[in-house]
Amino acid sequence: TSNNSLPPNNNNVTVEDDRTGLSIPTLKRAIADNLFYIQGKFPTIATENDYYMALAYTIRDRMLQRWAVTVDSYLQSKTRVVSYLSAEYLLGPHLGNNLINLGIYDRVKQAVEELGLDLEHLIAQEEEPGLGNGGLGRLAACYMDSLATLEIPAIGYGIRYEFGIFDQEIRDGWQVEITDQWLRYGNPWEIRRPEVTYEVKLGGHVEHYTDSHGHYGSNWVPDLVVKGVAYDTPILGYQVNTANTLRLWKSEAPESFDFQAFNVGDYYGAVNEKVICENISKILYPNDEQIQGKELRLRQQYFFVSCSLQDMIALHLRRGGKVENFYETFVVQLNDTHPAISVAELMRLLLDEHELDWETAWDVTTRTFAYTNHTLLPEALEKWNLDLFASILPRHLEIIYEINRRFLDEVAIRFPGDEGKLWSLSLIEEGEEKSIRMAHLACVGSFAINGVAQLHSELLKETVLKDWYELYPEKFSNKTNGVTPRRWMVLSNPRLTELITSKIGDGWIKNLEELKGLEKFADDGAFRKQWMDVKLAVKKDLASQVEQQQGIKINPESLFDVQVKRIHEYKRQHLNVLHIITLYNRLKQHPDLDIVPRTFIFGGKAAPSYHVAKLMIKLITSVAEVVNHDPDVRDRIKVVFMPDYNVTNSQKIYPAADLSEQISLAGKEASGTGNMKFSLNGALTIGTLDGANVEIRECVGEENFFLFGLTAQEVEQLKSSGYNPWDYYHDSLKQAIDQISSGFFSHRDGSLFQRLVNSLLYDDRYLLFADYHSYIECQDRVAEAYRDKDKWAKMSILNVARMGKFSSDRSIKEYCEDIWKVKPVPVELYDLCPDGE
Ligand code: Z15
């Protein structure tokens, strides 16, 4: 069945079902119906949000048949299901995406218009589920979209945080965090499954016993039991029947609580315990690539992992499977080490709850898991303090010790007499503070280990996982990240989508390599003109939004130079700032200098406890204030910090960019995925040879990519030969730094940015100074290139035409073939209730 064709309107159907019909009169009736029967409002008093809710339920109704049939067909079938375990899902709003994937966007737009409403306004009502921090969570969301689109049986497991990533406000140039309240007005996309619950133990101690057959057993006596309740959200594929499930766990107190408290009379104690239980899924930790080792975070990780594995085992048994064949039903992908406790938890479930012997349990476990590493930053590698770990997961500590003992025995045989190997591979880090190395647990328990871009995967094997690669080379592979063209093109850039489709048809939406077909239009003058017209129209949209929201007038004809991503020293937003100051100083020195007008756009959140990152935001806004108001600049440069960068806002930003800033220090950004979204929307990249930039450059052609900076190898060499930032501290760089530290941008307050300046002058871990000159020189080339609009148009078209590789569909196909060994299972719609009973 095609989603684009009109619903069957044959002779025996005169009135469409209000819950499934797709004709415009039916859609209108359904919206009005939901407005009254769900929101309880007449049109006269309904708010825009009421209408959004009514529309959301109308669309959900149209997904339910696909969803129920998909779930049912997986239960019936014998094929493997991919289970994606992630502590974060940065989904973005559902409504627009579901309309695209159902193929009914235009029709619903018309229906809504006929009701006197505007679809874009309604879509804008949705509060996005910000259940992630940045790239890692967004990748999980893109992968869920591709899994469904490719008709792969899959389930995503995670945590239903009550408060997602904070909302960011900028006050006096500083970041202020505001609690996210995405559930405030209810969430029409999720369904609570009160019958799908599991108990999760925490704390306490372990008792050992020998049963009547002489078998050893362990009995974990917890001091707290929490209940996980499933909340399911359908994830629809693009123009297919598959609707997979995202199952997020909410923590609650078990029912038995109130009862116990009543008996004992300890009312305060019981309520307190209830609060402790509910706290587990309350809030997302707002750090990206920065661990804090907090107890609650470990509880969160274990909580969702335990619920998910118990659920998988239950589903496997329901399919008639035997527990020792678990891996035939599920292959479990660990999204970083956040769910790595899975390895110990599956062992515990198999040993203690299902009474398998160690060898069988270990065999099942190591056939089940695969691990994706997302970072090389040492400060982001998860370690748990041993005492903390023992106090929450005493049984898992025993299991980890036993895994480690057996593993190190093997290592000792492989590398006789090599004490160093034992130290470096051990799951336990010895030293002043003992800790558990979660990446090592993930490596030992997984049959596959991958990085997220070619360079990253190579560096993994040479650095943080070197010893593991030596031991198990066959486990390692690369799976370069990708992004979904449905959200990041079709939904966010309808103008470009239409232009591209008018030339090459719409096959590219599912098969992104078809964008290649645009290459032959790159020299077509009329097409270039249309291309640049689209870009200009999109830039005007963003410009008016900026003016409306911040009162800053920006010139849509200027070069939109954009850096949006989490604020982090390794991503080097401050290098971008140094370029702005350099340009500003040139203008001050030569007021009539003919420069290419630029608008610098920044966006991104800083982890609340990451002081230097917050100071970087203050630096951007301070430089903006000076530059934007200096009459000598004559509006030739403008600097904008877009507050509250999130999925919703980003959908308006990527399409409007001319230049994409991907300027991390080589070797630090594992992949990046924003880099792909920009280039796919026709921005050119200025970037280092880092992460997926390397592959993007290979694909789009080096002549269509602005490269600068040291390579990862050169970085290593420079660091080992003793890097000294003072060697680079002269001329325009010195001038810029001295201005920052003298208070030029901070009302003569010379102390404000001192920590930031000192971190550069006396350490400069991310080699800003070493890359500065190369960056400035490259930016000058960018400006010159932008003067020739026709040439620029060609480069932009070629970027898009050659980005086919970076679809998350391609990434997922590689996971399916190389790691998961699963094939598409098309879902046929059938009536689950044939007699209507
Ligand atoms: C995160 O967003 C990423 C890695 C991490 O280890 C954590 Cl904790 C969070 C990002 C990488 O920084 C980025 O380069 C990559 O593209 C993304 O994960 C998805 O793989």
Side-chain angles (χ1 to χ4, degrees), residues 198-480:
Y198 299 94
E199 293 200 334
V200 176
K201 302 188 210 179
L202 290 160
H205 63 276
V206 183
E207 289 167 357
H208 298 275
Y209 60 89
T210 312
D211 71 12
S212 50
H213 309 287
H215 294 137
Y216 294 111
S218 301
N219 185 27
W220 177 11
V221 186
D223 50 31
L224 182 68
V225 177
V226 302
K227 188 176 82 176
V229 184
Y231 282 71
D232 289 352
T233 302
I235 306 290
L236 191 68
Y238 178 70
Q239 300 200 347
V240 289
N241 292 325
T242 300
N244 284 333
T245 299
L246 177 63
R247 176 161 282 180
L248 302 179
W249 303 102
K250 175 177 189 275
S251 66
E252 295 184 357
E255 287 82 3
S256 56
F257 255 160
D258 296 346
F259 182 68
Q260 276 173 7
F262 185 77
N263 280 345
V264 181
D266 181 11
Y267 179 75
Y268 175 85
V271 172
N272 192 38
E273 264 193 17
K274 185 167 146 59
V275 168
I276 291 170
C277 289
E278 290 173 352
N279 270 348
I280 290 178
S281 63
K282 267 271 173 281
I283 178 151
L284 167 76
Y285 276 89
N287 318 302
D288 199 60
E289 308 225 37
Q290 203 197 10
I291 48 160
Q292 290 185 316
K294 288 283 192 297
E295 175 177 331
L296 182 59
R297 169 81 171 179
L298 181 59
R299 288 174 185 250
Q300 288 185 337
Q301 294 183 349
Y302 177 61
F303 164 73
F304 100 88
V305 155
S306 180
C307 290
S308 307
L309 285 169
Q310 291 185 62
D311 194 43
M312 284 180 254
I313 291 175
L315 289 166
H316 171 67
L317 297 177
R318 247 175 74 185
R319 276 196 357 179
K322 291 198 190 128
V323 76
E324 56 268 35
N325 299 329
F326 177 72
Y327 56 87
E328 291 177 0
T329 298
F330 286 106
V331 55
V332 180
Q333 192 68 33
L334 305 175
N335 197 25
D336 217 309
T337 55
H338 316 147
I341 188 62
S342 293
V343 172
E345 173 65 357
L346 183 57
M347 284 298 285
R348 186 191 69 84
L349 290 167
L350 297 176
L351 294 169
D352 298 357
E353 313 268 319
H354 296 274
E355 296 175 325
L356 295 189
D357 60 76
W358 183 278
E359 286 73 17
T360 311
W362 186 242
D363 183 60
V364 171
T365 298
T366 51
R367 285 167 181 255
T368 297
F369 294 108
Y371 159 54
T372 306
N373 172 289
H374 294 264
T375 188
L376 300 159
L377 298 187
E379 66 268 32
L381 295 178
E382 284 197 303
K383 285 176 194 156
W384 289 107
N385 173 282
L386 201 106
D387 297 329
L388 169 70
F389 191 96
S391 73
I392 295 174
L393 302 171
R395 177 61 181 138
H396 296 77
L397 184 59
E398 291 182 350
I399 291 171
I400 287 172
Y401 276 141
E402 182 61 12
I403 295 172
N404 202 34
R405 190 185 65 80
R406 291 170 181 248
F407 169 62
L408 292 182
D409 280 351
E410 269 180 52
V411 174
I413 292 167
R414 262 291 301 275
F415 303 98
D418 192 343
E419 278 284 313
K421 273 277 177 294
L422 299 178
W423 277 81
S424 64
L425 283 166
S426 174
L427 308 190
I428 314 291
E429 185 170 284
E430 311 279 339
E432 243 165 69
E433 211 186 76
K434 284 194 176 192
S435 56
I436 315 232
R437 298 162 164 166
M438 298 310 277
H440 290 206
L441 181 60
C443 284
V444 75
S446 297
F447 66 85
I449 302 167
N450 74 283
V452 291
Q454 264 163 27
L455 174 67
H456 167 65
S457 296
E458 288 308 312
L459 292 173
L460 259 187
K461 295 189 285 190
E462 291 166 16
T463 61
V464 288
L465 298 183
K466 185 171 189 290
D467 298 315
W468 290 91
Y469 178 59
E470 239 178 25
L471 202 56
Y472 305 124
E474 68 290 348
K475 286 191 186 183
F476 283 73
S477 77
N478 172 246
K479 297 287 169 284
T480 299

Side-chain angles (χ1 to χ4, degrees), residues 744-809:
F744 184 91
F745 298 105
S746 44
H747 307 280
R748 291 163 303 284
D749 177 356
S751 64
L752 184 61
F753 296 119
Q754 218 49 54
R755 278 191 63 180
L756 197 52
V757 169
N758 288 345
S759 81
L760 294 174
L761 281 174
Y762 300 104
D763 184 14
D764 195 15
R765 278 181 67 195
Y766 301 105
L767 307 198
L768 269 77
F769 285 15
D771 275 347
Y772 170 83
H773 288 287
S774 163
Y775 181 54
I776 298 296
E777 179 273 328
C778 190
Q779 285 285 21
D780 291 341
R781 281 190 281 128
V782 169
E784 284 319 304
Y786 196 69
R787 287 184 196 274
D788 185 350
K789 288 287 151 59
D790 211 42
K791 172 85 185 305
W792 187 278
K794 176 176 180 169
M795 294 167 78
S796 169
I797 294 165
L798 289 178
N799 259 264
V800 175
R802 297 171 179 176
M803 281 297 290
K805 168 175 169 186
F806 301 94
S807 169
S808 45
D809 299 346

Side-chain angles (χ1 to χ4, degrees), residues 34-85:
N34 282 332
L35 185 69
F36 189 75
Y37 286 101
I38 294 182
Q39 293 305 101
K41 294 270 184 91
F42 288 124
T44 44
I45 57 158
T47 63
E48 196 146 52
N49 191 63
D50 290 326
Y51 271 108
Y52 156 69
M53 293 292 278
L55 176 57
Y57 280 109
T58 302
I59 302 311
R60 193 183 87 177
D61 286 343
R62 279 145 186 82
M63 298 165 61
L64 284 174
Q65 179 74 11
R66 283 181 176 77
W67 192 18
V69 171
T70 302
V71 170
D72 183 63
S73 75
Y74 296 167
L75 272 176
Q76 307 301 330
S77 101
K78 290 272 158 240
T79 57
R80 270 230 276 201
V81 176
V82 174
S83 167
Y84 200 80
L85 256 58

